[in-house]
Structures are given as C-alpha cells and as structure tokens.
Amino acid sequence: MSSQEKKSLKIVYFDLDQTALQGDEGKRWTGESWQILAVSLGVDKKKHMEIYVNYLDAITGNGKEDEKTQAKMTRDIVKLWQDAAKKSKNGRDPIGVLTKTKIDQICKEIFEEQIKTEVLETMRGLIKLGIIPIISTGGLATVAKVVSEIIESKTAVENTGLEGVELHLGNSEFIYDSNNLLIGFTHDHKLAERKQEQIQAKINEIIKLVGVGNILSMAVSDGSSDRLVFKDMPGIAFNSNDEELIAESIAEAASWEETLEILLHFFGEMEKI
C-alpha cells in the first residue's frame, strides 16, 4: 500500500471482563474470565477468590516478599484447579490433568458460548467498516486471544500492514512445563498501570508500522482497570458504576447499541450505515 493510498487506522480497545464478557445481573463474577474458566473446571469460586483476596491483602510493596506471596498464590490456585479437574462434576467425566491443549480447547468452547449476540454483532459491524477491535484485559491473555479469534479481529487488518500484529492484550499468561502441564501463571496486581503500559506498547508497535499520523483510537470499558487508559485516549464508560472511570470518559453507554452509535460518531462512520 503506497503512502497516498494509506487511510487512517481506527482502533477500539475493548475491555474483556464485564464488557465484552457480560455478567448476569446480581452475579458480577459471571462476567469475569478468571472465574468463568475456574467454575467450568469445577473449582469452588469462593475458594478461588479467597486465595486471590488473601494475596492482595498480603502485598506490602517489598519486592522480595511480594514475590514469595505471589508464588504461594500461584501454587495454591494451580493446585485448586488441578485437583478440581481430576474430579467428576454433575455427572461429567473428570477433565484430568490440565495441559495447554486442554485449557486452550476448554477456553474456546466456553467463551464461544459466553460472547453474547449483541457483542458479536457490534464487533463484526465495526470490522466491516474497517475499524479494528483489540481485546484488552487485566485478566487472562489466553481468553483475550480466544475472544479476538471468535469476533474475527484479524479480518479487520487485511491489507493494512498490521497482519502480524496480535489484536489482544492480557495481564496474566499461563505457564506450562516441558510436558505442557499447567504449573503457574504470571500476574501483575497493579492492573491499571499494567493495562496502560500494554496499550501504549501496542500503540507504539502500530506506529512503527503505519506512522504516528495515521491512527485514531478509542477505548470501551466498565471499570477501574482502565482509568489510566481513559486518561490517554477518549473512552466510553460501558454500563459502569465506577465514578472515576466515568469522570475520565467522553461518553457513557448502557447497551451495545449505544456503544456502537457513539463509536460510529467518533470515527465519522454514521453515514455508512
């Protein structure tokens, strides 16, 4: 594509938990990727959350001590998951040992069901207009990747020079041993700072490929992990109760229909629908 043919790239960073994945009313955990996956493996969500909350309470800011605290949290959660996967649940055969292959397969099956019709329609509608959706999460990168594949994000970057760019971001990565057995995961408890850094790194990656003057970006999120992102770019507070996020946003939306309308106005695409 020559410089004369280049068009401005339009990018939306979509938060995953409680945004692209929507929880049932009154049951917030049902929109959290960590919890959705844990429960699908037969894990007691209360035990899962108890381990994580205890970890957060034990963080002191002392680097070495926090590393030990995180290592213990990781061991405890992985053991909880592995133990649950070896047991039957509701008449279902045990999953068995958790390997990368099994986790990837389970994620694909689960999250294809979790992505609601209006989310798919919105994302794919944007893609048809050449607007690129990037899934961003303070949670699992594996799930963000799966959701990006489900909405077919890659079709939005054909002939843009971004075909090799990953269109998902995640705070936590699973760690597997040489036999592809799940043994741990990475995690940064400073979710807002981590998200801001990752999105800025993605912007810099894209700028190197297309130039600084050819990118128009926006973010959509429901919660606190995107407060800093909203300081860096225009943001839509999606069905949010977070006052700080709302204060940083340029608009609020209570539905995907509203979200789409705001995005199309922002990107100057209303006349195309």
Side-chain angles (χ1 to χ4, degrees):
M1 183 182 291
S2 70
S3 59
Q4 290 182 334
E5 296 172 322
K6 278 188 178 179
K7 297 180 180 179
S8 294
L9 289 177
K10 299 171 181 179
I11 302 172
V12 187
Y13 294 88
F14 283 103
D15 175 49
L16 181 66
D17 295 337
Q18 306 296 350
T19 303
L21 296 177
Q22 299 170 65
D24 295 332
E25 187 175 353
K27 296 181 179 179
R28 295 287 291 175
W29 66 268
T30 58
E32 298 287 340
S33 56
W34 267 109
Q35 292 283 37
I36 292 169
L37 183 53
V39 170
S40 73
L41 298 175
V43 172
D44 184 324
K45 64 179 180 290
K46 291 182 179 179
K47 290 182 180 178
H48 176 91
M49 283 305 298
E50 182 180 346
I51 292 170
Y52 185 68
V53 170
N54 287 342
Y55 154 72
L56 292 179
D57 289 343
I59 292 293
T60 64
N62 181 311
K64 290 184 178 180
E65 289 302 317
D66 288 349
E67 286 179 12
K68 293 178 182 178
T69 300
Q70 180 159 323
K72 182 181 185 305
M73 179 269 292
T74 302
R75 288 194 303 271
D76 290 347
I77 285 182
V78 170
K79 184 177 186 306
L80 188 67
W81 283 30
Q82 292 282 18
D83 288 348
K86 293 174 184 176
K87 299 176 182 178
S88 62
K89 182 184 179 185
N90 299 327
R92 181 197 68 190
D93 291 336
I95 295 169
V97 176
L98 291 177
T99 62
K100 184 178 187 304
T101 300
K102 286 182 181 178
I103 289 176
D104 287 349
Q105 179 182 354
I106 290 167
C107 282
K108 186 174 186 298
E109 292 172 355
I110 293 168
F111 293 101
E112 279 184 340
E113 295 179 0
Q114 289 288 329
I115 300 298
K116 296 183 179 180
T117 302
E118 61 267 30
V119 179
L120 278 175
E121 289 177 348
T122 299
M123 301 275 192
R124 290 178 178 173
L126 292 172
I127 289 170
K128 285 182 181 179
L129 293 171
I131 300 170
I132 303 167
I134 295 181
I135 303 298
S136 172
T137 179
L140 294 164
T142 297
V143 179
K145 181 177 185 292
V146 165
V147 172
S148 180
E149 291 169 351
I150 291 169
I151 65 176
E152 301 174 353
S153 289
K154 280 292 185 180
T155 60
V157 295
E158 293 173 358
N159 303 314
T160 64
L162 301 181
E163 290 82 357
V165 175
E166 291 186 342
L167 302 180
H168 67 276
L169 300 167
N171 176 26
S172 297
E173 296 270 5
F174 287 127
I175 300 171
Y176 302 93
D177 66 11
S178 58
N179 295 313
N180 279 328
L181 175 69
L182 178 67
I183 58 172
F185 53 87
T186 62
H187 183 72
D188 188 334
H189 68 278
K190 296 179 179 179
L191 300 183
E193 290 84 351
R194 175 66 172 158
K195 258 198 173 184
Q196 183 185 41
E197 290 170 1
Q198 285 190 310
I199 288 179
Q200 188 56 58
K202 183 62 63 177
I203 290 171
N204 291 339
E205 178 186 5
I206 293 171
I207 285 173
K208 287 182 180 180
L209 294 170
V210 301
V212 69
N214 297 311
I215 301 172
L216 188 61
S217 300
M218 197 170 197
V220 179
S221 178
D222 78 301
S224 60
S225 66
D226 282 291
R227 290 172 184 169
L228 297 180
V229 173
F230 277 29
K231 288 180 181 292
D232 292 341
M233 68 177 65
I236 300 172
F238 178 84
N239 200 21
S240 179
N241 295 317
D242 189 293
E243 293 183 2
E244 290 186 41
L245 184 81
I246 292 170
E248 292 293 343
S249 70
I250 65 165
E252 294 180 62
S255 68
W256 281 94
E257 184 178 7
E258 286 184 65
T259 301
L260 179 59
E261 184 176 348
I262 295 166
L263 288 170
L264 294 178
H265 275 295
F266 178 79
F267 289 120
E269 298 285 354
M270 281 298 291
E271 72 279 1
K272 295 185 181 180
I273 61 171

